[in-house]
Amino acid sequence: MVDARQLPCPQPLLAMRRALNEYETGTLLCVMATDEGSWRDFHSFAALSGRPLLRAERRDNTFHYWLYAGK
């Protein structure tokens, strides 16, 4: 899990990218963010990188994103 809450844009996306390379390939990674721009950033990253965004949702004021880690 990557807790990127309270980090301003583009820090949640950068934290996610670091984690994708740090965790073992195939590990399910959940990123939590409160920055409104993260919604656009994570969807754009998935579309441009070809790495599927398995799920994205907003719960109260926190966004949750799930991706598989790996290089």
Side-chain angles (χ1 to χ4, degrees):
M1 180 176 294
V2 176
D3 187 351
R5 293 176 289 183
Q6 306 307 319
L7 296 177
C9 185
Q11 295 302 315
L13 185 65
L14 296 174
M16 178 269 300
R17 292 189 70 180
R18 280 191 302 272
L20 287 175
N21 292 319
E22 290 175 4
Y23 286 87
E24 184 176 322
T25 298
T27 301
L28 182 60
L29 181 66
C30 177
V31 182
M32 296 183 303
T34 50
D35 182 77
E36 293 281 338
S38 69
W39 187 264
R40 177 194 64 244
D41 291 346
F42 277 73
H43 284 86
S44 293
F45 172 81
L48 293 171
S49 71
R51 183 184 297 269
L53 183 58
L54 302 172
R55 186 172 180 166
E57 65 183 34
R58 183 177 190 167
R59 297 182 200 161
D60 298 318
N61 293 323
T62 303
F63 298 94
H64 298 260
Y65 306 102
W66 288 269
L67 309 97
Y68 282 116
K71 296 179 182 178

